[in-house]
Amino acid sequence: MGLYTLFVILILLAAVLMILVVLIQESKGGGLSSNFSSYNSLAGVRKTTDFIEKATWGLAIAMVFFSIVCAWVAPTAVTDSSVMENVEKSTANPNTLPGFGASQSKSETPVQDAKTPAAPAQTPAPVAPAK
């Protein structure tokens, strides 16, 4: 297992622990300290809140640290070529394909139903000028 993979796993572990610690907390300061009232009589409410707050800050700092180290040890490219250099360039422009975009014109005849026969093309008769 590489060093990069180890730090990714540590980041995920810290993130899951951070989620659990934040879910334990309550916005008004009750949270875990209100659920364990028998322990609070021995250790005090403030100590439980201090531990949760320190755990939250510690996990946040650990995630930032692991992220920086993970970026530092990230695997680098073996070649100098870009991934985009291997992509084939398409010569067909979708706007110039028949039936798409700007190539559609209003002068095109609509497609007729197979049931209706096409009417023969008739030229209009010349109109005589009025006298």
Side-chain angles (χ1 to χ4, degrees), residues 4 11 18 20-21 23 30 37 41 43 46-47 53 58 68 77 79 81 83 87 111 118 121-123 129:
Y4 179 75
I11 290 170
M18 174 78 89
L20 294 175
V21 167
L23 287 175
S37 58
S41 62
R46 186 67 188 152
K47 289 190 178 195
E53 184 177 346
I68 291 171
T79 63
S81 66
V83 176
V87 176
V111 178
Q122 295 179 358
T123 56

Side-chain angles (χ1 to χ4, degrees), residues 38 45 54 59 61 70 76 89 91 95 97-98 100-101 105 114 121 130:
S38 63
V45 176
K54 287 179 182 178
L59 287 170
I61 292 168
C70 192
T76 56
K89 292 183 181 178
T91 57
N95 291 328
L97 293 175
F100 282 77
S105 64

Side-chain angles (χ1 to χ4, degrees), residues 3-5 7-8 67-77:
L3 201 56
Y4 179 75
T5 309
F7 281 109
V8 169
S67 298
I68 291 171
V69 172
C70 192
W72 184 60
V73 298
T76 56

Side-chain angles (χ1 to χ4, degrees), residues 37-128:
S37 58
S38 63
Y39 177 73
N40 289 339
S41 62
L42 297 174
V45 176
R46 186 67 188 152
K47 289 190 178 195
T48 306
T49 307
D50 282 346
F51 172 74
I52 293 174
E53 184 177 346
K54 287 179 182 178
T56 304
W57 279 104
L59 287 170
I61 292 168
M63 285 176 57
V64 169
F65 175 76
F66 291 148
S67 298
I68 291 171
V69 172
C70 192
W72 184 60
V73 298
T76 56
V78 179
T79 63
D80 291 334
S81 66
S82 171
V83 176
M84 295 303 292
E85 290 175 1
N86 298 334
V87 176
E88 291 182 23
K89 292 183 181 178
S90 176
T91 57
N93 184 353
N95 291 328
T96 60
L97 293 175
F100 282 77
S103 69
Q104 286 183 340
S105 64
K106 301 203 186 275
S107 66
E108 291 180 13
T109 58
V111 178
Q112 297 203 1
D113 255 352
K115 295 178 185 175
T116 22
Q122 295 179 358
T123 56
V127 178

